[in-house]
Amino acid sequence: MSGGERDPIAFEVVKPGRSAPDEHGRRRVHPWTPFIEGVRWWPGGVVAGVTLAAQLDVKVGTGAILVGLAGLVGVTLLGMAWGFLGWQRRTFWFDEDGDLRVDSGVLSRNERRLQLSRLQSVDVLQPLIARFAGLAEVRVEVAGAGDSKINLQFLTLREANELRNEIIARSAGVRHDVAEAPENVLVTVPPGDLVISLLLRAETWLLLAASILLLATTLWTNGVSGIGFLLVGGIPVFQVFTQFTRYYDFTVAESPDGLRLRHGLLQKTRQTVPPGRVQAVGFVQPFLWRKRGWVRVRLNVAGASSSTQGSGNETYTENVLLPVAPWPVALAIVARVLPGVDLQSIPTIPAPDRSRRRAWIQWRQLAVGWDDQVFITRGGRITERWDVVPHARTQSVRVTQGPWQRSLGLASMHVDSTPGAVKITGHHRDADEARRLAQEQADRASVARAGDRSLRWVAQQHLAGQQTGAATPSAAPHDGGILGPQASEIADLGPTPSAVEPDPGERPEA
Amino acid sequence: MADQTRTIDDAFAPPGVSWTRVSPKLATAYRISLCAVALLVLVGIVALTFIPDYPDVISVIAGGVLLVVVVWLWWLIGRRTGSWGYAEREDDLLVTSGIMFRRLVIVPYGRMQLVDLNAGPIHRWLGITTVQLHTAAATTDASIPGLTPPVAADLRDRLARRGEQRSAGL
């Protein structure tokens, strides 16, 4: 839906609307940003302060409370002052090439330019504190090594949604002043299912056991091992609670500008994954989910790994497409991400029987398979995994062999994807077979790259960006307002114009 | 394609006639590093003997162990550097290495994002360079150490040219 929907916990303190651009068309984030930055560390800071006071055996009294309050106010004011300076010096705008630019930095200046033709994802996040004020953060990621993203915090929710639409429209090369593309909700995860699915994970019980152990030893030793809590960052079982709040009300919607994922109880997140940006998909089925036929679906999205460097509580270690869903639903959603792929019809080849001497538990599950679009690996006995990578997204292929595998004549074959939770490995194949699979996969990837249609989306933008450039190979209409790779009739270009010329003699005759 | 009579080793066999091997100077570079570390350990062992009431026999044993380890690593470095090899094909580059833990990487030219040339002080002194390929995957790990600078520069330029011709975005 559009940004007009009302957040029940928001106070009507912030007037909606756009922040006015200055004479160069540059905009600032919302003036409330320094205030939010000043107070957002309160929960963590108070917990840390109280813990520290408890460890140092500070007597609870007026003095201690006054010192605490003075510290709180002082640090908050300092944070706000610093935040104000940062706010003043942070501007963002779209430059003449249509790329997003951000200038920021108080002491050291940083000018960042995101090439939107390489856009990977746009997220609109609402941390709890920002939600109270009706504000949101926009996080833009493009493909690239290292830090290739921009966090714009904070804008009003409506403005954030408008910016998101504009970024996606510009990236797709269509007019950017059109209304938000309509969406079609595909699936919503019921909170009850989410709770049960979390309870049915062995991880939850391990974390609970760790928490009890830590609590018991802390009481036993009069608080000395409370340090342990600091080391693991709180009570371990809280991670499960965090998972619940993060994936609460998980909604997957489809729209012409990509899949939209919305979730969160405290911090609300709206992710948009444009078409053709999914690098790999993985299904995970913990042991206790099997009876219910549930599965979790994860994604690799290029550039998203850098979000693990994100500040504080916003780190993501995995990109979840569906926290829990029945198999048919999961397959239906994945079919939207990988159009034309029928995962169930792909024949798989199991690992040889002698792999049992290397992988005692999971050897029976180990298998690889492929069709003309994707490569798929299977593994894990207790927690089962299925990992899928499109041939066109194969980065490189590896064969590895340790001494133990060598003595058994086995080798593992890996298909490298962009960094993420999904790893595609055909474990413990026959050594010769592994080499052959690797070579064949490299060839399949090469064929798939040559015929890849999903990058048309990029090509379209590229033409839009190259309008003033000299050699535009074939002018195509790109302002029709029709989003989506299927609809566009346009020459199949690579992202660089020099890549247009294919070498007919290059393909080895197999 | 797969010839059933091949032995296990052939999983890491060259795609064509043979691998292009790296310069034996690479072994020299690693051995210099090994000697430097061994020397530091030796200094430590000798220093221990100056502590009063410290049984000399421990230093003797430590020295013996050090000698054995250095000889073993000396031999291993020779084998390991000899195992590096690469082969350029029409569409991709193959890199192999390792004795105990073997690996073979196939990197399509169209997937290369950048090619690095690195040389540390010892490597520079010996006149060898490392060519490193990066793709969008962090796990690709395709580096070729121990190339002479002209060979490395040629390889880099060739790779960059082919990468540009076949560039496929992400």
Side-chain angles (χ1 to χ4, degrees):
Chain A
M1 302 302 284
S2 69
E5 71 194 77
R6 175 98 170 80
D7 190 344
I9 68 163
F11 300 109
E12 291 283 355
V13 287
V14 173
K15 293 275 179 289
R18 296 169 73 91
S19 54
D22 67 5
E23 65 271 23
H24 305 294
R26 304 183 176 192
R27 288 159 64 193
R28 289 212 173 90
V29 293
H30 200 277
W32 276 62
T33 303
F35 180 74
I36 305 277
E37 279 173 0
V39 300
R40 71 180 308 180
W41 60 273
W42 275 7
V46 169
V47 168
V50 169
T51 314
L52 191 69
Q55 291 289 326
L56 297 176
D57 267 341
V58 177
K59 281 209 186 71
V60 182
T62 350
I65 290 172
L66 277 180
V67 168
L69 278 180
L72 193 70
V73 170
V75 177
T76 303
L77 287 177
L78 270 178
M80 283 187 194
W82 184 254
F84 177 75
L85 290 175
W87 171 79
Q88 226 182 7
R89 283 163 176 75
R90 182 160 54 225
T91 53
F92 66 97
W93 72 99
F94 291 96
D95 65 12
E96 49 279 13
D97 293 336
D99 289 338
L100 180 63
R101 300 272 295 260
V102 177
D103 280 9
S104 62
V106 177
L107 293 179
S108 57
R109 298 283 292 165
N110 179 289
E111 293 189 20
R112 183 162 287 192
R113 172 181 176 155
L114 288 196
Q115 199 184 337
L116 290 186
S117 60
R118 293 170 68 80
L119 180 74
Q120 294 296 325
S121 67
V122 190
D123 300 351
V124 175
L125 289 91
Q126 280 193 285
L128 186 60
I129 179 82
R131 273 179 74 193
F132 285 124
L135 295 176
E137 168 185 347
V138 179
R139 183 177 291 173
V140 190
E141 298 199 39
V142 298
D147 190 8
S148 52
K149 63 171 183 176
I150 283 179
N151 281 358
L152 284 172
Q153 53 188 17
F154 293 93
L155 301 163
T156 63
L157 182 58
R158 172 176 307 200
E159 225 182 334
N161 281 325
E162 282 170 8
L163 184 63
R164 185 201 75 97
N165 295 339
E166 184 168 356
I167 287 169
I168 288 178
R170 282 180 184 271
S171 156
V174 296
R175 290 176 54 188
H176 54 263
D177 49 357
V178 296
E180 180 173 348
E183 69 173 30
N184 171 25
V185 172
L186 297 175
V187 61
T188 306
V189 177
D193 282 12
L194 184 60
V195 171
I196 296 170
S197 74
L198 287 171
L199 289 180
L200 290 180
R201 285 174 68 175
E203 201 185 323
T204 305
W205 299 99
L206 283 175
L207 287 172
L208 187 65
S211 309
I212 291 170
L213 195 74
L214 217 57
L215 272 175
T217 50
T218 305
L219 290 177
W220 191 265
T221 59
N222 291 326
V224 172
S225 52
I227 304 279
F229 284 124
L230 291 180
L231 290 180
V232 297
I235 301 169
V237 80
F238 261 47
Q239 284 182 21
V240 179
F241 180 70
T242 312
Q243 291 245 324
F244 172 74
T245 58
R246 181 184 298 163
Y247 299 128
Y248 177 83
D249 198 22
F250 202 100
T251 306
V252 182
E254 185 188 41
S255 81
D257 54 13
L259 275 189
R260 293 185 189 163
L261 313 178
R262 282 199 302 271
H263 52 94
L265 177 64
L266 303 177
Q267 164 167 305
K268 288 206 170 208
T269 307
R270 296 147 183 257
Q271 290 173 283
T272 306
V273 184
R277 294 306 194 273
V278 173
Q279 301 281 336
V281 180
F283 299 87
V284 185
Q285 187 174 50
F287 181 70
L288 293 171
W289 291 19
R290 205 171 299 168
K291 218 176 117 192
R292 291 170 179 264
W294 281 350
V295 70
R296 185 166 74 245
V297 188
R298 307 185 293 188
L299 292 178
N300 278 6
V301 179
S305 68
S306 54
S307 61
T308 50
Q309 303 159 4
S311 56
N313 51 352
E314 295 151 14
T315 55
Y316 291 91
T317 47
E318 56 178 358
N319 273 283
V320 170
L321 177 61
L322 268 177
V324 56
W327 262 115
V329 175
L331 286 171
I333 298 288
V334 169
R336 309 280 178 148
V337 176
L338 305 170
V341 178
D342 182 8
L343 293 175
Q344 283 164 305
S345 69
I346 298 173
T348 54
I349 309 171
D353 277 0
R354 63 181 188 279
S355 65
R356 64 156 28 123
R357 282 188 275 168
R358 174 63 183 78
W360 299 309
I361 298 169
Q362 64 166 347
W363 70 276
R364 234 185 255 277
Q365 291 293 327
L366 294 173
V368 301
W370 63 90
D371 67 358
D372 56 348
Q373 289 191 60
V374 296
F375 188 82
I376 172 169
T377 62
R378 181 178 170 194
R381 181 64 191 252
I382 295 158
T383 294
E384 291 191 47
R385 289 184 312 274
W386 295 261
D387 296 309
V388 185
V389 62
H391 298 324
R393 298 285 170 273
T394 300
Q395 296 293 335
S396 62
V397 191
R398 277 178 301 144
V399 181
T400 58
Q401 187 183 52
W404 191 357
Q405 287 181 313
R406 191 166 157 75
S407 70
L408 295 167
L410 301 171
S412 293
M413 174 258 189
H414 313 254
V415 179
D416 294 318
S417 171
T418 55
V422 185
K423 308 248 185 288
I424 302 95
T425 305
H427 287 289
H428 315 312
R429 317 296 306 178
D430 176 79
D432 276 354
E433 187 203 8
R435 171 66 185 272
R436 201 179 68 244
L437 283 174
Q439 195 52 63
E440 288 172 4
Q441 181 58 23
D443 293 343
R444 279 191 293 268
S446 161
V447 172
R449 267 198 308 280
D452 188 14
R453 291 285 174 279
S454 58
L455 281 169
R456 284 182 167 194
W457 207 67
V458 179
Q460 203 171 2
Q461 147 67 24
H462 205 82
L463 286 181
Q466 292 284 317
Q467 269 172 337
T468 51
T472 305
S474 68
H478 54 266
D479 54 354
I482 304 165
L483 236 48
Q486 293 87 3
S488 55
E489 286 298 322
I490 187 167
D492 184 22
L493 308 181
T496 49
S498 60
V500 191
E501 175 199 329
D503 259 11
E506 288 298 328
R507 187 104 314 108
E509 296 300 322
Chain B
M1 272 243 297
D3 183 356
Q4 291 306 310
T5 60
R6 290 198 306 191
T7 59
I8 316 167
D9 275 9
D10 284 351
F12 295 88
V17 186
S18 65
W19 295 109
T20 312
R21 295 295 177 183
V22 304
S23 163
K25 284 180 186 166
L26 182 64
T28 316
Y30 287 157
R31 281 171 183 156
I32 289 172
S33 305
L34 172 69
C35 289
V37 173
L39 209 65
L40 277 178
V41 177
L42 192 67
V43 167
I45 291 170
V46 172
L48 282 181
T49 58
F50 289 100
I51 297 172
D53 297 336
Y54 186 81
D56 284 347
V57 65
I58 292 184
S59 289
V60 172
I61 291 172
V65 170
L66 180 69
L67 187 70
V68 171
V69 168
V70 166
V71 167
W72 180 64
L73 284 177
W74 189 277
W75 171 80
L76 197 68
I77 284 172
R79 297 228 317 153
R80 175 124 172 79
T81 52
S83 75
W84 282 99
Y86 66 95
E88 295 165 71
R89 301 197 317 158
E90 298 255 353
D91 272 334
D92 39 36
L93 177 82
L94 275 72
V95 184
T96 186
S97 72
I99 296 291
M100 293 252 281
F101 293 87
R102 304 172 130 233
R103 64 173 194 124
L104 179 139
V105 191
I106 306 176
V107 189
Y109 298 130
R111 282 296 181 221
M112 292 188 312
Q113 296 208 321
L114 55 104
V115 185
D116 269 349
L117 244 64
N118 302 312
I122 297 176
H123 288 230
R124 273 221 310 276
W125 178 63
L126 289 167
I128 51 175
T129 308
T130 301
V131 172
Q132 182 150 22
L133 276 69
H134 297 270
T135 69
T139 45
T140 296
D141 183 31
S143 60
I144 313 169
L147 299 175
T148 57
V151 171
D154 279 356
L155 180 63
R156 175 196 57 194
D157 295 343
R158 258 195 323 275
L159 293 176
R161 201 164 53 242
R162 290 173 186 161
E164 202 168 298
Q165 281 166 5
R166 295 169 179 77
S167 173
L170 277 169

